Amino acid sequence: MKRQILTFALVGVLNTAAYYCLYLMFLTWLPYLAAHVLAFALSMVGSFFLNARFTYRTRPTWRKFLLFPLTNVTNFLITTAGVYVIVDVLHTGNRLAPLLASAAAIPVTFVVSRWVMLPRSV
C-alpha cells in the first residue's frame, strides 16, 4: 500500500505537469475553462496507463479504461469549481489556478482509482 501511494503521487506529479503544459498551450487560443477541460481529458488517458502499469501493476483493459473516468469525476468537479472560484470569484490569475485547485482532490482520486484498478483488494 505504501508503494502504491508513493507511486500514485509520482504519477500524479507527472500527470499534473502534462496537464499543466497542455492547459497553458490550449490557453493561448481557448477560454480558460475550455483549456482546462481539454487538458484534463487528455491527461486522464495518460494517467490511466501510468497508474495501470506502475502504481497498480495491472493489465489495462477496456473495462478499466471505461471505468477510470469515474476516478476523476470528483477530481474534475473539485478542480473545475476551484478554478472558477480562484479566477472569477477571487480574481486571481488563471495560470496557477488549476494547480491550486487540484490539491484538494488527490486523496479521493487515489481511493476511487484503487477501487477501479484493483476492485477485489479495496
Side-chain angles (χ1 to χ4, degrees), residues 14-31:
L14 290 173
N15 189 54
T16 301
Y19 158 80
Y20 191 57
C21 288
L22 289 168
Y23 173 76
L24 291 176
M25 182 179 73
F26 296 144
L27 193 59
T28 62
W29 55 277
L30 291 172

Side-chain angles (χ1 to χ4, degrees), residues 20-97:
Y20 191 57
C21 288
L22 289 168
Y23 173 76
L24 291 176
M25 182 179 73
F26 296 144
L27 193 59
T28 62
W29 55 277
L30 291 172
Y32 76 89
L33 280 178
H36 165 68
V37 170
L38 186 56
F40 193 94
L42 291 173
S43 66
M44 187 171 46
V45 172
S47 178
F48 168 75
F49 287 106
L50 289 173
N51 276 304
R53 172 72 173 101
F54 298 108
T55 303
Y56 303 111
R57 297 181 181 175
T58 187
R59 188 175 67 95
T61 64
W62 279 109
R63 180 183 178 278
K64 290 175 188 174
F65 182 76
L66 294 174
L67 286 174
F68 194 74
L70 294 175
T71 68
N72 288 296
V73 168
T74 301
N75 185 317
F76 179 77
L77 294 174
I78 291 170
T79 57
T80 301
V83 167
Y84 172 77
V85 167
I86 291 167
V87 173
D88 282 344
V89 175
L90 300 177
H91 304 290
T92 306
N94 59 11
R95 295 180 99 47
L96 292 178

